[in-house]
């Protein structure tokens, strides 16, 4: 109810539970629900952000990575069937950006880039424990209140109406010819109607929240099922963020092993399934123009850089012919349309 959400708002903004001074809003900022290098640059040197997992080395006192791409060090335990080749460590540290809290709590059951949190309450608790280093335990009522507040956070009226009534938000038609062409990339689910090119944004950004696999993607043979929420767009493969790759050994039930190398294996660190290697949550692109930087490692600082990545990806996966590739004009058209969402 409204009183519970109001209490959650106070906890979100102010509660430290005896920790290091960080609150939820330290990283999930009011303006965007996430954290960008520009927002980091506006902070005082003694801001609670500058410590612990924001440092270049866990617990260190330099923050070049945070200032350049606003990522944090996240320690993830290895599944029982996964080990590191050449190491006895049972966890790894990866660099991840802050997922926006806008729109997601009310409309998206998949939490975190790797989907590791089962619900909002567990996500809030673990964020307080790991990032805020709390010494006093929040109550179940505290966690429920924060979850209730987070479900009120939207950056689009159409999404708030969708959460309240189920009225599916409609994609804008586009006004300019460039915007209209860009809209095709989010609506024309080739090969359902046979129109080229094979690479389309809609393949992964389908459904009401523009964050699910489409029928066209399944028909093309993408390695996922209709409505699936995790996929590799070659962010870890290209490794533009320059993380150090490690080799992971996956042991199957029959004792056979598979070795795979990556700077961040994503969903596979949670499931232990090599088929999930380098897969990450498909985020909504409603309001994407307001939530830079992009990808799990914040390796795309702008929408332009994001589209440069996808042009490289499409050319690798589909080839360079005009039928299959994303052209520079396509990039301009998609960018024009994304700015309408």
């Amino acid at each position: 109810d409204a009183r519970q959400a109001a209490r959650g708002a106070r906890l979100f903004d102010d509660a430290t539970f005896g920790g290091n001074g960080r609150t939820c809003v330290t990283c999930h900022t009011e303006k965007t629900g996430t954290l960008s290098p520009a927002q980091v640059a506006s902070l005082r040197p003694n801001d609670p952000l500058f410590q612990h997992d924001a440092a270049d080395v866990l617990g260190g006192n330099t923050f070049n990575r945070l200032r350049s791409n606003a990522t944090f060090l996240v320690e993830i335990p290895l599944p029982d069937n996964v080990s590191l080749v050449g190491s006895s460590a049972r966890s790894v540290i990866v660099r991840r950006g802050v997922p926006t809290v806008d729109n997601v709590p009310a409309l998206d059951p998949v939490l975190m880039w790797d989907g590791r949190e089962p619900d909002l309450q567990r996500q809030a608790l673990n964020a307080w424990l790991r990032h805020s280093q709390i010494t006093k335990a929040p109550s179940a009522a505290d966690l429920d209140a924060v979850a209730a507040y987070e479900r009120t956070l939207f950056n689009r009226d159409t999404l708030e109406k969708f959460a309240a009534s189920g009225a599916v938000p409609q994609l804008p038609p586009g006004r300019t010819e460039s915007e209209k062409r860009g809209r095709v990339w989010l609506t024309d689910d080739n090969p359902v109607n046979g129109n080229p090119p094979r690479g389309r944004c809609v393949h992964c950004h389908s459904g009401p929240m523009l964050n699910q696999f489409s029928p066209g993607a399944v028909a093309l043979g993408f390695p996922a099922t209709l409505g699936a929420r995790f996929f590799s767009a070659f962010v870890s493969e290209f490794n533009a963020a320059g993380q150090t790759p490690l080799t992971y050994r996956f042991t199957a039930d029959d004792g056979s092993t598979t070795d795979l190398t990556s700077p961040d294996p994503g969903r596979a660190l949670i499931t232990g399934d090599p088929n999930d290697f380098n897969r990450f949550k498909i985020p909504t692109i409603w309001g994407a123009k307001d939530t830079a930087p992009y990808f799990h490692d914040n390796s795309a600082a702008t929408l332009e850089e994001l589209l440069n990545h996808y042009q490289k990806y499409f050319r690798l996966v589909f080839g360079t012919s005009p039928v299959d590739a994303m052209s520079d004009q396509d990039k301009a058209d998609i960018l024009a349309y994304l700015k309408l969402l």
Side-chain angles (χ1 to χ4, degrees):
D1 60 22
R3 286 191 302 176
Q4 185 185 42
R7 179 167 177 265
R10 293 191 294 272
L11 291 168
F12 191 93
D13 289 345
D14 301 322
T16 61
F17 296 103
N20 58 26
R22 290 178 179 171
T23 68
C24 301
V25 80
T26 301
C27 299
H28 295 286
T29 59
E30 292 181 2
K31 183 177 180 180
T32 64
T34 181
L35 184 71
S36 70
Q39 290 168 321
V40 173
S42 71
L43 300 175
R44 302 182 309 274
N46 63 345
D47 190 275
L49 186 68
F50 294 103
Q51 58 183 313
H52 185 39
D53 51 4
D56 296 328
V57 178
L58 197 63
N61 57 12
T62 60
F63 300 91
N64 298 320
R65 185 196 66 256
L66 178 70
R67 290 189 170 97
S68 65
N69 72 349
T71 54
F72 293 79
L73 300 177
V74 179
E75 184 172 10
I76 301 178
L78 295 174
D80 291 343
N81 70 313
V82 179
S83 61
L84 285 174
V85 174
S87 172
S88 61
R90 292 306 306 155
S91 65
V92 293
I93 294 177
V94 294
R95 296 183 290 186
R96 301 267 177 91
V98 179
T100 182
V101 75
D102 289 344
N103 310 316
V104 172
L107 294 168
D108 190 343
V110 178
L111 303 176
M112 314 303 288
W113 285 109
D114 51 22
R116 67 182 180 273
E117 301 293 8
D119 52 50
L120 291 170
Q121 288 85 346
R122 187 73 59 85
Q123 187 278 324
L125 175 60
N126 283 331
W128 274 325
L129 288 169
R130 295 169 181 169
H131 305 304
S132 301
Q133 299 173 293
I134 61 174
T135 58
K136 301 174 184 178
S139 67
D142 292 334
L143 298 172
D144 287 342
V146 167
Y149 169 64
E150 290 182 331
R151 293 189 185 98
T152 70
L153 299 176
F154 299 93
N155 60 15
R156 294 292 181 273
D157 290 342
T158 53
L159 298 182
E160 187 170 5
K161 291 176 183 177
F162 177 39
S165 66
V168 176
Q170 299 300 304
L171 288 167
R175 298 158 298 190
T176 69
E177 291 305 309
S178 180
E179 290 169 353
K180 291 174 183 177
R181 289 192 301 267
R183 188 181 189 276
V184 171
W185 283 79
L186 279 171
T187 58
D188 189 0
D189 196 15
N190 168 275
V192 171
N193 64 11
N195 288 338
R198 289 186 291 175
R200 296 281 194 191
C201 306
V202 69
H203 292 159
C204 294
H205 294 287
S206 185
M209 288 296 289
L210 308 178
N211 60 2
Q212 300 179 24
F213 254 57
S214 71
V218 175
L220 276 170
F222 280 58
T225 57
L226 181 64
R229 296 295 313 282
F230 296 92
F231 188 61
S232 172
F234 276 47
V235 179
S236 278
E237 287 87 340
F238 292 158
N239 194 20
Q243 297 195 57
T244 301
L246 299 173
T247 299
Y248 296 81
R249 178 161 293 163
F250 294 79
T251 302
D253 292 340
D254 63 4
S256 61
T257 61
T258 302
D259 288 358
L260 298 169
T261 300
S262 175
D264 187 341
R267 181 68 173 160
L269 286 177
I270 309 305
T271 65
D273 185 349
N275 291 316
D276 287 330
F277 203 71
N278 290 346
R279 291 186 180 181
F280 292 87
K281 170 185 173 176
I282 302 170
T284 181
I285 52 175
W286 285 113
K289 70 183 180 67
D290 300 321
T291 57
Y294 306 101
F295 301 132
H296 69 272
D297 58 1
N298 284 356
S299 56
T302 64
L303 286 174
E304 287 84 353
E305 289 186 11
L306 177 143
L307 291 170
N308 287 341
H309 168 92
Y310 277 109
Q311 184 181 58
K312 180 180 177 181
Y313 168 68
F314 281 137
R315 286 178 174 176
L316 177 66
V317 174
F318 293 120
T320 58
S321 72
V323 170
D324 295 323
M326 179 188 288
S327 69
D328 289 343
Q329 182 62 60
D330 293 330
K331 285 196 302 180
D333 295 340
I334 296 166
L335 177 62
Y337 192 72
L338 285 175
K339 291 180 178 180
L340 300 180
L341 300 181

